[in-house]
C-alpha cells in the first residue's frame, strides 16, 4: 500500500472519530429500540399540582389502559384511551368523552407522545450514558421522552406547557389474557 493511500485512510478514520466525538453519528451506530410492542409500566405522574401513581398498559397500537393506585381518591380508577374516545370506570360507574376533552389531557399526552416513538427516526434522538432522549410536539406542546438506549424501556416524560411530568419504572411485556369462558377448549 502506498504512503498516499495510508495517509488518506488515516485522515478518513481520524475525521470519522472526530465527528463521533462531536455528536456525529457513525455509519454503524446502534439501531433504535423497538417501541412497537405491548407492555405494562408503572408511572409516577405529576399533573399540575396533583400527584398520582398508575399502571400504564399499551394494549395495542392505539389502545391504552391506565389503572390508578394512588392517591386514595383515584385508587381503582381505570382510564381507557384509544384513537376515538376516552373512558373512565370506577366501582361500576363509567364516564366517556371525546379525546379533546379536558379530562383526557394527561392520558392523551402520555399515550400520544409515547406512541409517536414508534415512527420517530433514530436521527431525532440523542444518546448519552445509555439513555435516549426524544423531543417531539403533541397538539402544539413540546414533549421530551427518555428511554433506555438498548431495551427501549421508558424512563420519563416531560411536557412543561401542560405541567405534566411522568417517571416510569418496572416495564414488562403485556399479553392479553382471555377470561376462562372465552378460551377455546380442545376435546
Amino acid at each position: 500500500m502506498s504512503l498516499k493511500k495510508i495517509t488518506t485512510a488515516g485522515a478518513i478514520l481520524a475525521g470519522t472519530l472526530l465527528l463521533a466525538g462531536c455528536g456525529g453519528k457513525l455509519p454503524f451506530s446502534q439501531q433504535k429500540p423497538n417501541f412497537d410492542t405491548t407492555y405494562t409500566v408503572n408511572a409516577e405522574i405529576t399533573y399540575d399540582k396533583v400527584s398520582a401513581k398508575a399502571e400504564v398498559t399499551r394494549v395495542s397500537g392505539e389502545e391504552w389502559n391506565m389503572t390508578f393506585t394512588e392517591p386514595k381518591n383515584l385508587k381503582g380508577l381505570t382510564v381507557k384511551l384509544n384513537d376515538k374516545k376516552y373512558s373512565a370506570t370506577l366501582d361500576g360507574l363509567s364516564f366517556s368523552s371525546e379525546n379533546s376533552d379536558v379530562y383526557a389531557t394527561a392520558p392523551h399526552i402520555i399515550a400520544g407522545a409515547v406512541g409517536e416513538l414508534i415512527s420517530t427516526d433514530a436521527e431525532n434522538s440523542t444518546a448519552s450514558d445509555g439513555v435516549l432522549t426524544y423531543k417531539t410536539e403533541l397538539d402544539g406542546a413540546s414533549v421530551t421522552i427518555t428511554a433506555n438506549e438498548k431495551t427501549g424501556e421508558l424512563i420519563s416524560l416531560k411536557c412543561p406547557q401542560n405541567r405534566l411530568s411522568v417517571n416510569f419504572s418496572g416495564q414488562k411485556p403485556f399479553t392479553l389474557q382471555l377470561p376462562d369462558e372465552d378460551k377455546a377448549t380442545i376435546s
Side-chain angles (χ1 to χ4, degrees):
M1 195 184 263
S2 72
L3 181 60
K4 183 177 180 180
K5 287 182 181 179
I6 292 172
T7 305
T8 303
I12 291 171
L13 180 60
T16 302
L17 292 174
L18 181 63
L19 282 175
C22 297
K25 295 184 188 248
L26 292 174
F28 47 86
S29 65
Q30 181 177 341
Q31 292 280 338
K32 148 182 146 169
N34 180 14
F35 291 110
D36 194 9
T37 63
T38 58
Y39 52 84
T40 297
V41 63
N42 298 317
E44 292 184 29
I45 304 166
T46 303
Y47 181 55
D48 199 16
K49 295 178 184 176
V50 176
S51 293
K53 291 183 180 180
E55 183 178 85
V56 177
T57 302
R58 182 173 186 251
V59 178
S60 66
E62 296 294 327
E63 186 176 345
W64 295 78
N65 293 341
M66 298 178 195
T67 302
F68 288 85
T69 57
E70 291 182 26
K72 187 178 178 181
N73 60 340
L74 290 179
K75 189 173 183 172
L77 174 68
T78 298
V79 174
K80 294 184 181 209
L81 183 70
N82 63 36
D83 61 343
K84 295 182 176 105
K85 69 176 188 173
Y86 160 96
S87 66
T89 306
L90 177 64
D91 294 332
L93 299 173
S94 63
F95 167 81
S96 62
S97 72
E98 297 300 317
N99 281 343
S100 62
D101 200 27
V102 70
Y103 301 108
T105 300
H108 171 72
I109 292 169
I110 294 168
V114 172
E116 282 190 16
L117 290 177
I118 296 164
S119 60
T120 302
D121 294 329
E123 291 80 35
N124 293 331
S125 67
T126 57
S128 177
D129 297 327
V131 175
L132 287 175
T133 301
Y134 291 88
K135 294 189 185 272
T136 187
E137 191 173 294
L138 187 68
D139 298 335
S142 174
V143 181
T144 302
I145 302 168
T146 59
N148 181 292
E149 183 177 15
K150 292 183 183 191
T151 65
E153 290 180 9
L154 300 172
I155 298 170
S156 69
L157 179 148
K158 306 254 187 269
C159 182
Q161 183 176 337
N162 289 294
R163 296 181 300 274
L164 175 65
S165 174
V166 184
N167 290 316
F168 298 102
S169 65
Q171 186 169 325
K172 59 189 178 222
F174 170 77
T175 304
L176 185 62
Q177 299 292 319
L178 296 175
D180 288 336
E181 64 267 8
D182 290 341
K183 292 181 182 175
T185 57
I186 299 174
S187 26

